Amino acid sequence: MTVDIAPEKVDVHRLFHTDQTLDVLRFTHDTIRQGQACALVTLVEINGGSSRALGSMMAVTATGGYCGMVSGGCVEGVVAHEAVQALAENRDRTVRLGKGSSYFDVVLPCGGGITLAVHVLKNVDALDAALKAHAQRSTIALTYHPNKQMLSCSEALKTGWQDDVFAVVLPPALRIVLLGQGLESEVLQQAAFALNIETMRDALPADIDEATAVVFLQHDLDKELPLLKQALSSTAFYIGCLGSRRTHEARRMQLLQDDFTEEQIARLSAPIGLFGPVRDARSLAVSVLAEIMARKTEQAKDARHA
């Protein structure tokens, strides 16, 4: 892949707004497959504060189009220019912004500094493997080797530097399983769709994993309990149940009679939601999604410090 446009004549521009790593990787993969040059930018060091997490990514084409975010939006244009230069030279580079940077006029609002690795993609082999693993809901790490200027895949368990390579762990995407036929279930599915969160309804999948949230929005304990027992026997990171405290006490007693332990029952979020009680479907949807996202954030934080 060659770059025919002089970098100083390139007008950088955002192609679409996203801060999701998989969106960036898919875009990068498709761009290379179409025969266009593309660079992948990764946030590899944070000095002080940062609005984005370690491992955040951008993709930049030789014509200056970019997607993804490595800050709050204040430096992406500068980063895109650096990536275009790297593509023109066909060489990887490191960029420092904020504290300690040669860009004295680029100041991060958080007052910190960030270091970015700009990698000129030569092929999509590593991206192929990473995207395939993600589609199969397997955890994989995309690993950057600065000395070799290449990407590979590994089984690293933590995002960050490991010796002289930098790994970005790609866990399975958040998935919500909704059980219930009422308005609450419909509105929650619509809200999740608006946030680009995968949802399934009315059946428990066989491959429930640690990135799956199971939401019971049924009004009948007899119908709920058989599926609830299956969910409690899974590795779902969140299991929430609709109903009052009185309803949950009846649920708890039945589960104890069926040989579930207090520790297992304590996994349940019941009454469901981050705030409440609520009396309308929209408020319930916001409350449940907020609780799921809060739990997911804690899970990610625990993984980073493991």
Side-chain angles (χ1 to χ4, degrees):
M1 287 164 285
T2 59
V3 178
D4 299 323
I5 303 175
E8 64 272 11
K9 295 183 179 180
V10 170
D11 180 24
V12 300
H13 54 284
R14 182 185 294 115
L15 294 173
F16 62 95
H17 228 153
T18 183
D19 62 359
Q20 298 300 298
T21 299
L22 265 294
D23 290 341
V24 174
L25 294 182
R26 291 187 185 104
F27 172 82
T28 305
H29 179 273
D30 292 346
T31 300
I32 299 296
R33 282 291 192 197
Q34 292 165 9
Q36 302 177 50
C38 190
L40 190 63
V41 182
T42 307
L43 175 56
V44 297
E45 184 181 26
I46 298 171
N47 181 11
S50 172
S51 57
R52 299 290 161 185
L54 199 68
S56 296
M57 290 183 171
M58 284 177 61
V60 186
T61 69
T63 55
Y66 69 89
C67 66
M69 301 183 74
V70 291
S71 76
C74 50
V75 304
E76 277 68 15
V78 172
V79 175
H81 273 294
E82 287 280 351
V84 169
Q85 289 280 353
L87 286 164
E89 297 171 6
N90 196 32
R91 289 187 60 186
D92 292 5
R93 60 173 57 189
T94 298
V95 180
R96 290 182 176 84
L97 297 171
K99 185 185 297 183
S101 171
S102 58
Y103 281 97
F104 63 89
D105 57 338
V106 178
V107 180
L108 301 182
C110 56
I114 58 176
T115 302
L116 307 164
V118 182
H119 172 55
V120 177
L121 270 295
K122 307 299 192 300
N123 59 64
V124 295
D125 294 346
L127 296 183
D128 272 335
L131 292 173
K132 181 177 179 180
H134 187 77
Q136 296 172 343
R137 299 193 65 80
S138 298
T139 298
I140 197 167
L142 194 61
T143 305
Y144 174 55
H145 305 254
N147 294 335
K148 298 178 181 179
Q149 298 196 19
M150 63 171 284
L151 291 178
S152 68
C153 287
S154 73
E155 296 181 354
L157 299 177
K158 186 177 181 180
T159 293
W161 287 103
Q162 299 174 21
D163 297 323
D164 59 347
V165 300
F166 186 86
V168 178
V169 177
L170 304 172
L174 169 61
R175 175 178 60 180
I176 300 176
V177 179
L178 297 173
L179 300 168
Q181 294 287 336
L183 178 63
E184 296 93 346
S185 184
E186 291 180 16
V187 174
L188 181 52
Q189 184 177 36
Q190 292 168 5
F193 179 80
L195 296 174
N196 198 29
I197 298 172
E198 178 187 353
T199 60
M200 304 176 65
R201 288 185 67 180
D202 304 330
L204 284 174
D207 61 341
I208 293 179
D209 53 33
E210 294 179 357
T212 302
V214 184
V215 179
F216 287 87
L217 297 176
Q218 295 165 317
H219 297 270
D220 187 330
L221 278 182
D222 290 335
K223 291 182 179 180
E224 174 192 281
L225 280 167
L227 293 173
L228 182 57
K229 294 173 187 177
Q230 292 181 46
L232 281 171
S233 299
S234 76
T235 58
F237 80 94
Y238 173 92
I239 306 171
C241 301
L242 188 67
S244 65
R245 287 183 172 81
R246 182 180 299 176
T247 300
H248 183 57
E249 182 58 23
R251 179 187 293 119
R252 188 181 74 86
M253 295 304 298
Q254 184 60 59
L255 289 170
L256 288 172
Q257 291 178 23
D258 292 334
D259 296 325
F260 284 85
T261 66
E262 290 283 9
E263 183 178 7
Q264 289 174 301
I265 298 169
R267 293 178 59 199
L268 299 179
S269 176
I272 198 170
L274 192 64
F275 58 86
V278 297
R279 295 289 184 263
D280 66 278
R282 288 190 304 175
S283 296
L284 180 67
V286 172
S287 180
V288 173
L289 280 176
E291 186 172 45
I292 290 172
M293 299 304 289
R295 192 75 58 83
K296 189 66 175 172
T297 299
E298 286 300 315
Q299 184 188 51
K301 187 184 299 183
D302 291 342
R304 287 197 297 270
H305 295 294

